[in-house]
């Protein structure tokens, strides 16, 4: 989501006449987009800001701005902590960038907007998209769920959905520009409701985007388990353009912990959703987010998370040590787990998952799979990489003319995180 916000801001600046540069030393304006979800991300920004002018060799007079959730949370305090910052823009205020940057250009030393004004939130931005084949499309912003560990409802504001006609017109525009794949974005993406009432549900929206001529793949992230219904699976089953991949964050395998996290579902309720996803006619790849060391998490709770992972056998996971965030409900919980213990649990969990992924990826060897060729392989820049509809990465050797095209490859080898293949056609 942050990545896509950067694309919106970059596009806005380009329309204002700015030219992007890879070299900070050339920049007249340097903007840092920030994350506030975990403490570590926050610390990184302040330490980077401290030495920005020296380490990036910024031009004298170059202006510095801070965007994103950290800007939203810290607000004017940023000017005190980092006096070299000229501009602070919160995560709901990007549509005001032209006015705000103009003020900075006029020499106003400290310009700030951290309002959560909603009127212009979903304005259609000129976007500078990084990938020429895959595009993000925001369909909703914010969150009303207030999970006990999470800053998002504070940093991104309340849940607000974008009108379906705006979503569809952006998707049609992307198709006409040659994009093959669209990723629908939202904090709880499946809680989307059409403010104009034209489209009945998130599942219907998914179908409507997939039916746009020229769009070959549609993905979405992240759905919340409580709003995940069989209708979404039906659309995946029946509309081939909707990728057979679901990222369904669970956070913990223990109902007791889930309750304290205020996640609104039990282990069993989550597993019921997994069950209908697994019973789908197309094999749907599943991934998740997990937090270890939430306050009060016992060894037994932790083992329940491992047993849930064993039961679901995810294709991939994002896992995190719990990070206390000021302002959230869990911040005042007194039964914190020591850092070292959180680290131990995270290592065990990641090793457990590595084995599951290795076993799961073995089944693809010898199979012929269709991929969208997306870029150079990270393993060997002479090779290319593409993704299957299940979001599996396949590295293979082939001509660069395949970039942005669909190709068929046969899987020859595997590792926990990717597959190796050979080009068939
Ligand atoms: N809306 C999504 C999650 C968005 S935040 C959902 O409800 O599933 C992305 C992930 O960051 C979360 O799924 C969670 O695993 C992790 N996360 C959020 N707050 C955290 C915290 N305080 N400490 C550690 N991980 C956190
Ligand atoms: Fe945060 Fe997701 Fe919970 Fe909303 S639903 S509070 S974004 S973890």
């Amino acid at each position: 989501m942050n990545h896509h916000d950067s694309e919106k801001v970059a596009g806005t600046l380009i329309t204002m006449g700015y030219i992007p540069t890879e070299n900070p030393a050339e920049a007249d304006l340097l903007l840092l987009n920030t994350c506030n979800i975990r403490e570590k991300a926050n610390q990184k920004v302040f330490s980077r800001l401290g030495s920005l002018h020296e380490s990036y060799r910024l031009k004298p007079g170059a202006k510095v701005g801070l965007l994103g959730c950290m800007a939203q949370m810290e607000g004017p305090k940023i000017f005190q902590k980092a006096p070299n910052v000229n501009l602070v823009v919160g995560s709901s205020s990007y549509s005001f960038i032209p006015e705000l940057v103009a003020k900075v250009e006029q020499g106003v030393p400290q310009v700030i907007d951290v309002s959560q004004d909603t009127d212009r939130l979903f304005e259609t931005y000129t976007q500078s998209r990084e990938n020429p084949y895959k595009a993000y499309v925001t369909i909703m912003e914010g969150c009303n769920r207030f999970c006990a560990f999470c800053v998002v409802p504070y940093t991104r504001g309340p849940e607000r959905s974008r009108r379906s006609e705006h979503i569809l017109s952006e998707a049609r525009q992307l198709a006409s520009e040659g994009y093959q794949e669209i990723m629908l974005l939202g904090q709880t993406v499946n809680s989307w409701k059409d403010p104009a009432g034209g489209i009945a549900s998130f599942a219907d929206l998914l179908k409507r985007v997939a039916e746009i001529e020229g769009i070959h793949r549609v993905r979405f992230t992240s759905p919340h388990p409580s709003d995940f219904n069989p209708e979404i699976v039906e659309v995946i089953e029946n509309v081939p353009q909707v990728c057979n991949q679901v990222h369904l964050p669970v956070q913990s395998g223990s109902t007791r912990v889930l309750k304290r996290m205020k996640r609104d579902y039990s282990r069993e309720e989550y597993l019921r959703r997994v069950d209908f996803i697994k019973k789908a006619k197309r094999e749907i790849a599943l991934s998740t987010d997990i937090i270890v060391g939430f306050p009060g998490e016992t060894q037994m709770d932790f083992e329940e998370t491992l047993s849930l992972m064993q039961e679901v056998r995810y294709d991939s996971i994002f896992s995190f040590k719990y990070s206390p965030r000021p302002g959230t409900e869990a911040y005042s919980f007194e039964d914190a787990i020591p850092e070292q213990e959180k680290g131990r649990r995270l290592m065990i969990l990641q090793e457990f998952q590595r084995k599951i992924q290795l076993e799961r990826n073995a089944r693809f060897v010898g199979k012929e799979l269709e991929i969208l060729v997306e870029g150079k392989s990270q393993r060997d820049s002479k090779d290319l990489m593409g993704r299957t509809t299940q979001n599996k990465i396949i590295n293979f050797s082939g001509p660069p003319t395949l970039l942005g095209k669909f190709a068929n490859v046969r899987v020859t080898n595997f590792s926990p995180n990717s597959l190796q293949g050979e080009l068939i056609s």
Side-chain angles (χ1 to χ4, degrees):
M1 202 162 286
N2 263 11
H3 190 91
H4 185 42
D5 284 343
S6 297
E7 294 182 334
K8 293 176 186 171
V9 173
T12 308
L13 290 171
I14 290 169
T15 0
M16 290 175 72
Y18 279 85
I19 302 165
T21 173
E22 292 292 317
N23 177 8
E26 281 180 359
D28 298 305
L29 175 66
L30 186 91
L31 300 180
L32 301 181
N33 194 1
T34 61
C35 176
N36 197 36
I37 200 99
R38 285 169 290 272
E39 173 68 20
K40 215 161 137 195
N42 234 32
Q43 285 166 353
K44 244 195 240 169
V45 174
F46 278 118
S47 69
R48 196 178 287 185
L49 276 177
S51 57
L52 206 56
H53 281 79
E54 302 78 58
S55 53
Y56 286 154
R57 298 208 181 88
L58 295 187
K59 289 201 275 204
K63 307 289 192 224
V64 173
L66 210 66
L67 315 175
C69 292
M70 206 184 122
Q72 188 75 49
M73 280 304 263
E74 305 265 340
K77 276 189 280 177
I78 290 170
F79 294 127
Q80 287 153 25
K81 290 192 193 169
N84 55 347
V85 171
N86 310 99
L87 173 69
V88 172
V89 187
S91 42
S92 298
S93 308
Y94 299 134
S95 56
F96 301 106
I97 288 267
E99 294 95 309
L100 299 169
V101 169
K103 277 196 204 157
V104 174
E105 285 171 350
Q106 285 154 18
V108 180
Q110 294 179 338
V111 178
I112 181 164
D113 192 323
V114 287
S115 57
Q116 283 183 333
D117 193 308
T118 57
D119 290 2
R120 287 167 65 178
L121 184 66
F122 294 119
E123 227 164 63
T124 306
Y125 294 85
T126 313
Q127 311 188 2
S128 169
R129 297 182 192 269
E130 228 167 73
N131 187 305
Y133 324 117
K134 308 197 302 185
Y136 296 116
V137 172
T138 304
I139 70 161
M140 52 93 64
E141 278 276 1
C143 181
N144 290 343
R145 291 189 173 266
F146 292 91
C147 299
F149 53 81
C150 185
V151 286
V152 168
Y154 309 94
T155 58
R156 293 263 169 184
E159 182 185 304
R160 288 144 291 169
S161 290
R162 189 177 177 196
R163 293 167 73 97
S164 59
E165 72 256 35
H166 296 165
I167 298 170
L168 293 171
S169 97
E170 187 174 334
R172 275 187 222 108
Q173 176 67 27
L174 289 165
S176 75
E177 291 169 14
Y179 287 90
Q180 310 274 351
E181 180 175 317
I182 284 180
M183 167 79 95
L184 302 178
L185 286 182
Q187 285 297 344
T188 54
V189 73
N190 54 332
S191 312
W192 176 86
K193 280 173 211 72
D194 194 352
I199 290 187
S201 65
F202 169 72
D204 277 349
L205 176 73
L206 205 52
K207 199 158 135 222
R208 291 286 294 277
V209 174
E211 282 167 357
I212 293 172
E213 177 116 11
I215 296 300
H216 298 291
R217 284 185 171 181
V218 183
R219 303 185 197 273
F220 55 92
T221 203
S222 286
H224 191 282
S226 300
D227 283 339
F228 199 93
N229 53 36
E231 209 194 331
I232 302 172
V233 175
E234 270 166 42
V235 174
I236 298 178
E237 283 181 318
N238 298 319
V239 185
Q241 296 93 313
V242 179
C243 292
N244 44 346
Q245 172 232 337
V246 169
H247 182 74
L248 199 62
V250 66
Q251 314 301 356
S252 166
S254 150
T255 296
R256 200 185 69 84
V257 173
L258 288 170
K259 209 164 189 177
R260 285 195 96 201
M261 286 178 163
K262 293 194 33 206
R263 280 298 282 182
D264 280 354
Y265 52 84
S266 63
R267 174 191 175 102
E268 290 66 34
E269 282 162 340
Y270 181 86
L271 285 173
R272 268 205 286 285
R273 280 146 184 91
V274 170
D275 194 47
F276 65 66
I277 292 171
K278 285 198 168 174
K279 287 203 174 113
K281 284 184 245 150
R282 288 168 81 194
E283 187 201 66
I284 299 177
L286 259 172
S287 54
T288 200
D289 292 345
I290 294 175
I291 296 176
V292 297
F294 186 73
E297 183 190 70
T298 61
Q299 175 66 23
M300 221 152 85
D301 292 320
F302 173 60
E303 282 169 18
E304 283 197 56
T305 299
L306 297 180
S307 84
L308 178 121
M309 288 161 65
Q310 180 64 25
E311 206 169 326
V312 178
R313 295 176 66 76
Y314 292 105
D315 290 90
S316 65
I317 65 166
F318 293 109
S319 50
F320 314 99
K321 284 193 279 185
Y322 167 70
S323 167
R325 308 305 296 124
T328 61
E329 194 179 319
Y331 194 67
S332 57
F333 289 0
E334 281 170 0
D335 40 5
I337 306 295
E339 263 321 292
Q340 207 188 351
E341 176 60 14
K342 287 192 231 173
R344 188 189 73 88
R345 291 183 192 175
L346 188 67
M347 258 173 57
I348 294 173
L349 182 135
Q350 290 179 339
E351 179 53 24
F352 192 70
Q353 176 62 19
R354 205 184 69 84
K355 288 200 186 116
I356 294 177
Q357 284 179 208
L358 203 59
E359 284 164 23
R360 280 190 67 66
N361 281 349
R363 75 190 194 281
F364 291 112
V365 173
K367 291 240 164 76
E368 191 182 318
L369 299 172
E370 187 190 55
I371 53 171
L372 173 60
V373 184
E374 290 180 8
K376 285 190 178 155
S377 159
Q378 281 189 346
R379 287 192 155 183
D380 180 348
S381 60
K382 289 194 300 300
D383 284 353
L384 298 174
M385 70 75 83
R387 280 175 202 266
T388 68
T389 164
Q390 288 196 325
N391 213 25
K392 297 272 174 204
I393 292 177
I394 307 193
N395 297 301
F396 69 105
S397 146
T401 47
L402 283 179
L403 285 169
K405 306 219 164 72
F406 284 90
N408 287 320
V409 291
R410 181 173 298 110
V411 178
T412 53
N413 209 343
F414 63 97
S415 67
N417 295 316
S418 65
L419 305 172
Q420 189 70 35
E422 59 191 15
L423 183 65
I424 301 174
S425 60

